[in-house]
Amino acid sequence: MKQTYYITTPIYYPSGNWHIGHCYTTVICDALARFHKLSGDDVFFLTGTDEHGQKVEKEALKRGITPREFIDPLVFELKDMWRLLDVEYDRFLRTTDEEHVACVQKIYQKLYESGDVYKSEYEGYYCTPCESFWTEAQLKDGKCPDCGREVVLQKEESYFFRLSKYAPALLEHYQKNPEFLQPKSRVNEMVNNFLKAGLQDLSISRTTVKWGVPLPFDPKHTAYVWIDALSNYISALGYGSDDDSLFRKYWPADLHMVGKEIVRFHAIIWPAVLMALGLPLPKQIYGHGWLLIGGEKLSKSKEAERPELTDPYELVKRYGADAVRYFLLREIPFGSDGEYTTERFLNRVNADLANDLGNLVSRTQAMIAQNFGNLPPRGAQEGTDGELIAVCEGAYGKVKAAMDALDAPAALSAIFALVSRANKYIDETTPWLLAKDPAKRERLGAVLYNLAEAVRIAAILLRPFLPRAAQAILQSFSCGESGFGALAFGTLAAGTPVTRIPPLFPRLDVKKELAAVAALNAKNASKTQSAPKVQSAPRPEKQEIDISDFEKVELKVGEVIACERVPKADKLLHETVRIGGETRSIVSGIAKYYTPEEMVGKRVVVVTNLKPVTLRGVLSEGMILCAEDENGGLALVSPERAMKSGGSVR
Ligand code: MSP
């Protein structure tokens, strides 16, 4: 029977300051989700955005725009980042989604009715960047003990959750379920510093923050953003709604993967809320470590002080999604912190991907092409063939054990042990010498068959980690769809067409790359210091028009930088369009004529001063122009020569 596997990432603050550290949690979850899907499990992989709260409210205010105008482009940018990194989630939840808001209200109502929520007054400190409350005694040198930034004294009427009541039950849960929180090192902190010290009731509503979910029993209060955010793990499954079939199927979650700084919210507050709701607790919470630069948590605010390339878009653009995924999954010892430098990244890519994997694939394919065309027959075993075959056959067990322990670096190390063994086999069997002797042709065929099988098996095992490279390798052996069911050595039939592919990971000149990165950072320094990458520009104060006022229509050249289908709307595509310095979300009825992949990179003409509308829950801030034929078929209108995005169309 299929097992269900429900895995979640934290939902991201729409800050726009994404760096490679942010990609860590989600790339790990994607590899785990892909591994379980390939294992035949029924997987639900959830991610999304945490959009309410004081931080967003303040940022929008600072820019003179609404919170919604502030967050929408950032949410699209985040989705774009996941697309670039080949992250394949099953649901992207926004805490501004109607169903989520309704679910949060249901949760508050339930807690209120059961007596676990009461009204009082909050007096204490608040850290806006962390959205967390602190008592004076908890502060470190008067600052937030988590992030070291300024806190503000807050005094306001608030509803409280009886967190203190759940300390004994939580303690018992920790004692009975040693797997509940991992790695073990995080348990001590939760149990000794928090649970045993006794919990205080938690302020869970704000009257001074307007950008939040109004409480159903007292709408001048909005929900505390952490309760709002944590609820996403069940609202995404329809908890409390008319259709809670997903909730019944997938809850409790198998794994909440989170960074170590937010373990406290997940391992204390969230289970207490679930207990109060009478719901089972997630099976496991994993608090992973951080990517560090110079021993400090990688963060965008320190960008100007360091010469490293940390921008995920730039990294993917220069080196490809697989290289970025590989570094994150292989280099950071799981559960611990790991240092990031561009040089380390480049060296890792060169050593493992360009040299070990890339060479193995290209040498094997080149020798098959030169000597046989298609795959030669398997032939008799001799020499070290048995050793190679044993490594191939034993690899899946090792990868599975590592992935069951959530240890992606160990899984990759098992796969690359296979790759190394195969490279050693080439040195041992010297196929280039066999090729010179016509009497050895049969042996040459057997050696190349064994190598092809080693490459194919490594590629299947690499699918969760390097989806693109794995797919390209498998396709070149005419078996693009192979899953874990095809791991047996000897599966490929003699005569299978083998096509040569261009180098998967061309060798990088580290010195040259570091110089290019330094130049790039210098160019970006002023930009990145002063403004987040994508910023919703304050809307110019101009009269919005109807389409009939054609003379007043403002038309501009835009570039489609991301595109996806609108769920449950077979005619609609949702494009992210760059128009000069601005990024817009646009919905168009062209899904019958263009695929999302075809749209990306297209130069289009956009009506930029149309009143924004929401179509099927997606914001549309403009219209992409199309020509229509007599049958209603649509074709995009594009400038005839390459024109810069943002240019006006007259
Ligand atoms: N919105 C909250 C989570 C709410 S979940 C109910 C939040 N968002 S975040 O955008 O700040 O962080 C998202 C993820 O990125 C977290 O898992 C965080 O630990 C991770 N990382 C951010 N910087 C990181 C590093 N430098 N290294 C590794 N992961 C880091 O927290």
Side-chain angles (χ1 to χ4, degrees), residues 10-13 19 21-22 24-25 50 226 229-230 232-233 258-259 261-262 266 288-291 297-298:
I11 47 174
Y12 284 66
Y13 291 128
H19 53 67
H22 282 115
Y24 188 52
T25 322
D50 184 357
W226 265 102
L230 289 161
N232 95 91
Y233 299 131
V258 303
E261 80 282 17
I262 53 173
H266 286 82
H288 67 67
W290 290 336
L291 260 74
K297 185 180 180 207
L298 203 166

Side-chain angles (χ1 to χ4, degrees), residues 48-248:
T49 36
D50 184 357
E51 302 181 15
H52 290 126
Q54 191 161 349
K55 194 158 47 175
V56 166
E57 195 172 62
K58 275 179 139 181
E59 288 298 322
L61 200 67
K62 222 160 67 185
R63 291 165 171 78
I65 53 178
T66 64
R68 192 79 205 203
E69 285 174 319
F70 171 66
I71 54 185
D72 275 343
L74 298 172
V75 174
F76 304 131
E77 185 181 305
L78 183 67
K79 280 188 171 183
D80 196 34
M81 181 160 99
W82 298 145
R83 191 183 58 79
L84 285 177
L85 279 163
D86 291 320
V87 168
E88 271 182 10
Y89 44 77
D90 294 291
R91 166 91 202 257
F92 187 100
L93 179 135
R94 301 182 57 171
T95 53
T96 48
D97 288 344
E98 265 171 46
E99 322 91 81
H100 172 80
V101 169
C103 178
V104 171
Q105 290 183 322
K106 284 223 166 107
I107 290 173
Y108 268 82
Q109 187 69 36
K110 213 167 165 188
L111 296 176
Y112 185 60
E113 282 169 13
S114 68
D116 272 323
V117 165
Y118 62 92
K119 189 147 103 178
S120 182
E121 184 167 80
Y122 176 76
E123 188 171 358
Y125 293 87
Y126 195 74
C127 171
T128 309
C130 294
E131 300 277 15
S132 56
F133 295 102
W134 300 106
T135 61
E136 188 156 15
Q138 287 172 316
L139 300 181
K140 235 193 231 162
D141 304 325
K143 305 247 169 77
C144 170
D146 270 359
C147 72
R149 282 176 280 200
E150 295 294 335
V151 288
V152 275
L153 188 61
Q154 210 106 47
K155 187 173 175 180
E156 61 180 317
E157 179 185 287
S158 177
Y159 285 90
F160 281 75
F161 170 58
R162 293 186 199 281
L163 184 61
S164 57
K165 176 177 147 187
Y166 291 95
L170 282 170
L171 210 48
E172 194 186 329
H173 190 79
Y174 271 92
Q175 277 150 4
K176 289 195 176 149
N177 300 278
E179 298 302 309
F180 178 61
L181 177 59
Q182 289 291 318
K184 294 245 174 319
S185 52
R186 314 257 179 254
V187 178
N188 281 347
E189 195 198 345
M190 291 305 120
V191 170
N192 298 334
N193 296 5
F194 293 105
L195 290 175
K196 286 194 176 153
L199 296 175
Q200 293 189 350
D201 288 352
L202 178 73
S203 163
I204 56 158
S205 77
R206 309 287 306 270
T207 52
T208 48
V209 178
K210 297 287 166 250
W211 180 239
V213 178
L215 301 198
F217 45 86
D218 193 346
K220 74 173 187 294
H221 287 252
T222 55
Y224 170 40
V225 66
W226 265 102
I227 302 290
D228 173 359
L230 289 161
S231 307
N232 95 91
Y233 299 131
I234 55 176
S235 76
L237 301 178
Y239 170 74
S241 75
D242 293 343
D243 179 3
D244 65 353
S245 50
L246 288 178
F247 179 75
R248 280 184 280 116

Side-chain angles (χ1 to χ4, degrees), residues 99 135 147 206 227 332 387 398 416-417 557 582 594 598 601 635:
E99 322 91 81
T135 61
C147 72
R206 309 287 306 270
I227 302 290
I332 318 296
E387 271 180 41
K398 290 185 180 145
F416 275 79
V557 177
E582 202 190 354
Y594 293 90
E598 284 176 311

